[in-house]
């Protein structure tokens, strides 16, 4: 018998073992039995002998605790996320999401796979070629979760690694219904025809295979299928769900920040002569220190290279007497850290470098202190306060701050939201009051062109100081504190 969702949730809360064990205890072992030869029973199957397309607790207990689908995030939390989405849908509405595609560099050489964040947020499923459909049942907050995936295929898996398959969609990822993603032509129409409204962003992008891909502006199969339906964008609903982070999400971001911050401090201890060597060290130390991978292409900018905000060539020499600006971070359980530090390549700040650095650091500390709900701030307000602070500090250092001076010297916003994405919840306004659970960056920077308009001893210096911060009720939680930033601490690392 299949338990209803309320009963299932209650048992999950009480029992809460690993995903495979969970269903055994819930009396759903017949799903695995159906997948096995008739002479075998579920009890004869060791979960460790099963092969999935991503780690599960039974196969990777060193990565996942019992009950977790992805590091730090439990099956219950994923279920709760889908419930919250369902509650925001109209009666009998559905949401349709597609996974990321495998992207190829050339021929059969592929890039590292990165799952589509909204799909990942709702499912925890980390394979390509999958579609999730969440259908609200009537006017209640209940829903039916469909997960269509690639079927098990021994020949394909010999080349590309294990697939989780349809059975695991039910038994590990808690789908109510599953199916072969190659049969979307027959699987989706019944769901679409019964929907009062369809929330999806697939029509705006090219997904996997021919089903969703743009075909020279000719309507693709999916667009034809939803032609006469009431279609609305899903992104605004997902942004509202994702913008406030749970305790588990914050814990993952704190780990990403801790591991990444330690790597930064370790890098500052050493003398570097090449940008690429410093970048390679950080990539290694992020991963060896506990991160799963790097969060984004890093900026390793020595000297005047730091005047380019997104300098990523990272192929220059590092010269004695210069400042190196490093913008980098690691990722843990899908959640990122975003850090920028600027330090002297020879380990000792010159007087102009120290003066400019400490001016920026004072402003950064002040802005970080306002990342609390009780301060009634928005990211835009924080930016205005930061601009004022930088302007006054630069005046004290002899800068002429008339006209467009600040726009030239500080050309970017002081912060953005972070989470599963480096720029999380794209399109979510910076004018919304910050609340406990918002996670943001605070990153003032000054980039002085080699121009007679500016004091000579500051020309060619680019400095940015950035931390990842979680907003709390009465105080900020700095997620990246292990990356030292005080002048005395930076210089002490070489002594």
């Amino acid at each position: 018998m299949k338990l209803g969702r309320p009963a299932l949730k209650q048992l999950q809360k009480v029992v809460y073992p690993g995903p495979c064990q969970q269903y055994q205890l819930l009396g759903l072992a017949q799903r695995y039995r159906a997948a096995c030869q008739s002479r075998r029973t579920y009890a004869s199957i060791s979960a460790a002998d099963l092969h999935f397309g991503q780690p599960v607790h039974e196969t990777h207990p060193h990565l996942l605790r019992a009950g977790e689908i992805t590091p730090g995030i439990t099956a219950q939390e994923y279920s709760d996320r889908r419930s919250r989405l369902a509650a925001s849908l109209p009666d009998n509405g559905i949401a349709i999401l597609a996974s990321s595609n495998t992207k190829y560099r050339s021929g059969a050489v592929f890039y590292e796979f990165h799952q589509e964040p909204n799909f990942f947020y709702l499912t925890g499923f980390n394979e390509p070629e999958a579609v999730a459909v969440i259908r609200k049942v009537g006017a209640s907050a209940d829903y039916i979760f469909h997960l269509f995936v690639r079927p098990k295929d021994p020949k394909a898996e010999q080349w590309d690694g294990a697939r989780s398959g349809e059975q695991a969609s039910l038994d590990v990822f808690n789908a109510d219904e599953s199916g072969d993603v190659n049969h979307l032509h027959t699987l989706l129409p019944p769901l679409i025809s019964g929907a009062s409204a369809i929330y999806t962003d697939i029509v705006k992008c090219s997904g996997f295979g021919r089903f969703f891909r743009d075909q020279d502006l000719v309507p693709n199969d999916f667009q034809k299928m939803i032609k006469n339906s009431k279609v609305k964008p899903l992104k605004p609903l997902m942004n509202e769900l994702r913008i406030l982070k749970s305790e588990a999400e914050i814990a993952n971001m704190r780990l990403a920040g801790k591991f990444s911050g330690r790597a930064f401090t370790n890098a500052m201890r050493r003398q570097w002569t090449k940008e690429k060597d410093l970048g390679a060290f950080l990539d290694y130390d992020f991963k060896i220190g506990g991160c799963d991978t790097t969060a984004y292409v890093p900026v390793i900018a020595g000297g005047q290279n730091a005047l380019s905000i997104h300098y990523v060539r990272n192929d220059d020499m590092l010269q004695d007497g210069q400042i190196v600006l490093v913008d980098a971070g690691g990722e843990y359980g899908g959640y990122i850290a975003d850090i920028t530090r600027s330090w002297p390549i020879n380990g000792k700040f010159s007087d102009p470098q120290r003066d400019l650095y400490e001016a920026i650091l004072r402003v950064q500390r002040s802005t970080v202190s306002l990342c609390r709900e009780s301060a009634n701030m928005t990211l835009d307000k924080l930016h205005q306060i930061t601009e004022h602070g930088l302007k006054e500090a630069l005046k004290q250092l002899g800068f002429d701050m008339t006209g467009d001076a600040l726009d030239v010297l500080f050309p970017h916003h002081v912060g953005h939201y972070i989470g599963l994405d480096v720029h999380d919840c794209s399109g979510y306004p910076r004018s919304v009051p910050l609340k406990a659970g918002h996670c943001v960056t605070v990153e003032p920077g000054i980039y002085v062109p080699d121009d007679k308009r500016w004091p000579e001893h500051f020309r060619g210096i680019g400095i940015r100081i950035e931390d990842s911060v979680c907003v709390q009720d009465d105080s900020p939680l700095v997620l990246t504190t292990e990356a030292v930033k005080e002048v005395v601490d930076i210089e002490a690392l070489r002594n």
Side-chain angles (χ1 to χ4, degrees):
M1 106 182 206
K2 181 175 178 180
L3 292 173
R5 187 174 304 279
L8 175 61
K9 287 183 178 179
Q10 289 302 315
L11 282 171
Q12 285 174 335
K13 291 176 181 177
V14 174
V15 179
Y16 229 69
C20 300
Q21 296 168 330
Q22 171 180 309
Y23 282 94
Q24 184 179 15
L25 289 167
L26 292 175
L28 302 182
Q30 66 270 26
R31 287 178 172 170
Y32 268 123
R33 283 199 295 266
C36 303
Q37 295 179 359
S38 58
R39 69 176 185 274
R40 298 184 67 187
T41 65
Y42 181 75
S44 68
I45 303 173
S46 168
D49 293 331
L50 299 171
H51 298 286
F52 300 95
Q54 66 190 75
V56 299
H57 167 69
E58 288 78 6
T59 61
H60 291 69
H62 60 292
L63 298 180
L64 295 163
R65 291 170 293 187
E68 292 180 345
I69 296 293
T70 59
I73 310 297
T74 63
Q76 183 64 53
E77 179 157 341
Y78 280 110
S79 177
D80 291 343
R81 292 172 179 181
R82 294 190 292 270
S83 292
R84 288 167 56 210
L85 175 61
S88 67
L89 297 176
D91 298 354
N92 299 312
I94 66 172
I96 304 177
L97 304 94
S99 69
S100 292
N101 189 17
T102 300
K103 295 180 174 63
Y104 289 88
R105 180 171 177 169
S106 63
V109 180
F110 47 82
Y111 288 104
E112 181 178 10
F113 180 74
H114 183 75
Q115 188 59 281
E116 199 283 319
N118 286 333
F119 181 92
F120 185 77
Y121 181 83
L122 293 172
T123 69
F125 191 76
N126 204 25
E127 297 179 41
E129 297 187 48
V131 171
V133 180
I134 296 168
R135 179 164 64 92
K136 184 173 184 176
V137 179
S140 69
D142 204 0
Y143 66 90
I144 295 177
F145 172 35
H146 303 258
L147 184 57
F148 306 123
V149 301
R150 301 174 301 177
K152 298 291 287 183
D153 182 339
K155 186 174 182 179
E157 292 176 62
Q158 182 181 12
W159 284 92
D160 300 325
R163 298 176 176 182
S164 293
E166 299 164 59
Q167 197 63 44
S169 297
L170 304 170
D171 295 322
V172 176
F173 298 96
N174 287 345
D176 298 297
E177 304 290 344
S178 186
D180 184 344
V181 73
N182 297 302
H183 298 158
L184 284 178
H185 291 84
T186 57
L187 293 170
L188 282 183
L191 300 176
I192 291 172
S193 63
S196 62
I198 298 170
Y199 287 76
T200 187
D201 297 320
I202 295 174
V203 292
K204 297 181 179 180
C205 63
S206 56
F208 62 84
R210 296 181 179 179
F211 195 81
F212 295 121
R213 185 179 301 144
D214 293 336
Q215 299 170 1
D216 299 325
L217 301 181
V218 175
N220 60 34
D221 293 338
F222 181 63
Q223 289 168 334
K224 294 174 184 175
M225 194 176 291
I226 62 175
K227 181 179 180 181
N228 298 317
S229 302
K230 188 176 181 181
V231 180
K232 295 185 177 183
L234 178 62
K235 182 177 177 180
L237 300 184
M238 292 303 304
N239 279 352
E240 290 293 336
L241 293 180
R242 287 176 52 190
I243 197 66
L244 291 176
K245 304 307 188 276
S246 69
E247 291 184 7
E249 290 179 289
I250 294 168
N252 274 2
M253 295 175 72
R254 178 68 185 101
L255 286 173
K258 179 170 70 174
F259 301 147
S260 302
R262 288 174 178 173
F264 266 83
T265 298
N266 288 338
M268 292 182 204
R269 300 179 194 276
R270 304 188 178 207
Q271 178 76 41
W272 302 99
T273 59
K274 297 178 182 178
E275 291 173 346
K276 75 176 184 67
D277 292 351
L278 173 51
F281 174 82
L282 285 171
D283 180 82
Y284 168 82
D285 219 35
F286 286 159
K287 295 172 183 175
I288 204 71
C291 289
D292 301 324
T293 186
T294 52
Y296 51 93
V297 178
V299 173
I300 315 290
Q304 292 199 36
N305 292 333
L307 304 186
S308 177
I309 308 302
H310 286 160
Y311 170 84
V312 292
R313 281 175 46 187
N314 305 339
D315 61 359
D316 212 342
M317 301 298 292
L318 296 173
Q319 305 294 336
D320 184 54
Q322 292 180 337
I323 291 279
V324 60
L325 184 157
V326 178
D327 186 342
E331 177 182 302
Y332 177 81
Y335 291 84
I336 66 94
D338 194 353
I339 306 174
T340 304
R341 292 292 185 264
S342 306
W343 70 88
I345 291 166
N346 61 17
K348 183 76 173 177
F349 287 90
S350 68
D351 290 341
Q353 290 170 349
R354 180 182 295 103
D355 289 344
L356 185 58
Y357 183 91
E358 290 189 329
I360 297 168
L361 181 59
R362 284 193 297 271
V363 174
Q364 201 252 3
R365 281 200 224 99
S366 178
T367 303
V368 168
S369 72
L370 295 173
C371 292
R372 47 190 168 84
E373 186 169 336
S374 59
N376 193 30
M377 287 285 124
T378 67
L379 277 176
D380 283 339
K381 285 183 182 178
L382 290 179
H383 182 71
Q384 293 169 6
I385 292 169
T386 301
E387 283 187 317
H388 177 75
L390 290 175
K391 188 173 184 178
E392 294 304 310
L394 292 174
K395 284 181 181 178
Q396 296 297 317
L397 294 177
F399 283 79
D400 178 0
M401 298 305 295
T402 59
D404 66 346
L406 192 60
D407 291 333
V408 173
L409 297 170
F410 178 42
H412 58 79
H413 204 284
V414 73
H416 53 81
Y417 304 103
I418 52 174
L420 287 172
D421 288 318
V422 179
H423 287 254
D424 206 46
C425 300
S426 175
Y428 192 83
R430 289 184 168 113
S431 58
V432 173
L434 293 174
K435 297 180 180 180
H438 281 138
C439 293
V440 300
T441 64
V442 177
E443 48 183 307
I446 294 296
Y447 317 88
V448 188
D450 188 5
D451 188 291
K452 292 181 179 180
R453 181 178 179 182
W454 317 111
E456 183 175 2
H457 45 288
F458 293 119
R459 293 175 196 165
I461 298 177
I463 294 173
R464 181 166 66 253
I465 305 170
E466 175 186 21
D467 282 297
S468 298
V469 183
C470 179
V471 177
Q472 300 183 123
D473 291 329
D474 295 312
S475 63
L477 171 63
V478 180
L479 302 168
T480 49
T481 188
E482 282 78 7
V484 302
K485 61 182 178 182
E486 301 296 331
V487 167
V488 63
D489 292 329
I490 292 172
E491 292 187 341
L493 291 172
R494 299 285 185 89
N495 293 337

